[in-house]
């Protein structure tokens, strides 16, 4: 299994015969080298969207059309895109599970907001979400943009993720200390990968506070853009 950061909250996850693009924001992502776009999306089979903000949906529709692959996410947003943009959509909702290759992808709760900017103001984009992705003997928790939630207790117990991809740059999401608290209290991760940080000055620029707060034995991997993490 390979997990490759594309900057901010965008990831490429190769797992169980699937190549998942999570929240692909490439074109004007200040962390992503535009010249390597083809490499980042090569062989993609599915796109997963956590919510409608521009730094998460930026290139989703364009990639879906270019690669002829489905976008999966909250029913409201995906069905609107299917009607408006003609993409192949897999609209589902909290508690629902879909398959990607032989991986199981379950939508779980997040605590944030979700809208698409327009000249007339924000457009409702369904509810924000996270994902549990199970395959190859691992379960990955993709938190999406969120704060700590009491729901993390049952999510950690029921899904038992061993890998956490946590949005933890602060200001718009939980910060590093809050993410460490959630990891200690609600999960038994073996590996934690931070995201939604370093992109802008307002966000955390390193994950040292997260590292300091994790339980002993948990590996923190600070990702580098387009450098695969093999697990």
């Amino acid at each position: 299994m390979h997990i490759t950061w594309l900057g901010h909250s965008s990831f490429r996850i190769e797992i169980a015969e699937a190549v998942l693009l999570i929240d692909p924001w490439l074109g004007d992502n200040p962390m992503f080298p535009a010249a390597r776009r083809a490499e980042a999306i090569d062989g993609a089979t599915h796109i997963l969207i956590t919510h409608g903000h521009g730094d998460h949906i930026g290139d989703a529709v364009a990639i879906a059309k270019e690669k002829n692959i489905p976008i999966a996410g909250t029913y409201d947003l995906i069905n609107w895109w299917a009607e408006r943009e003609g993409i192949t959509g897999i609209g589902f909702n909290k508690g629902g599970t879909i398959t990607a290759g032989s991986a199981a992808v379950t939508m779980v709760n997040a605590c944030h907001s979700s809208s698409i900017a327009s000249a007339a103001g924000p457009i409702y984009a369904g509810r924000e979400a996270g994902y549990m992705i199970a395959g190859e003997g691992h379960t990955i928790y993709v938190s999406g943009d969120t704060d700590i939630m009491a729901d993390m207790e049952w999510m950690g117990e029921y899904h038992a993720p061993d890998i956490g991809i946590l949005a933890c740059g602060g200001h718009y999401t939980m910060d590093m200390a809050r993410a460490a608290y959630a990891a200690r209290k609600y999960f038994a991760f073996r590996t934690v990968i931070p995201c939604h940080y370093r992109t802008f000055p307002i966000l955390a620029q390193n994950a040292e506070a997260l590292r300091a707060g994790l339980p002993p034995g948990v590996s923190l991997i600070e990702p580098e853009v387009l450098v695969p993490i093999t697990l």
Side-chain angles (χ1 to χ4, degrees), residues 77 90 165:
L77 173 60
I90 305 173
I165 297 177

Side-chain angles (χ1 to χ4, degrees), residues 121-209:
I123 298 172
Y124 172 71
R127 292 295 302 273
E128 62 277 15
Y131 293 103
M132 296 287 180
I133 303 169
E136 298 190 23
H138 294 280
T139 298
I140 306 166
Y141 171 43
V142 176
S143 74
D145 285 11
T146 192
D147 188 19
I148 302 167
M149 306 175 292
D151 279 357
M152 288 177 172
E153 180 173 15
W154 74 258
M155 287 160 49
E157 181 178 343
Y158 187 87
H159 290 280
D162 58 307
I163 301 166
I165 297 177
L166 306 180
C168 49
H171 195 80
Y172 302 107
T173 70
M174 58 186 172
D175 62 18
M176 296 292 171
R178 294 167 82 86
Y181 174 88
R184 291 194 310 270
K185 186 170 179 65
Y186 297 126
F187 297 101
F189 296 128
R190 296 177 61 187
T191 303
V192 169
I193 302 169
C195 67
H196 209 284
Y197 79 126
R198 292 169 47 190
T199 321
F200 309 110
I202 200 170
L203 303 180
Q205 298 300 301
N206 63 69
E208 290 311 306

Side-chain angles (χ1 to χ4, degrees), residues 4-8 25-41 59 224-227:
T4 304
W5 194 35
L6 306 179
H8 199 55
W25 175 45
L26 309 180
D28 57 354
N29 179 344
M31 298 195 74
F32 183 79
R36 298 182 68 181
R37 180 181 183 275
E39 173 188 347
I41 68 174
D59 291 74
E224 295 298 332
V225 173
L226 287 166
V227 177

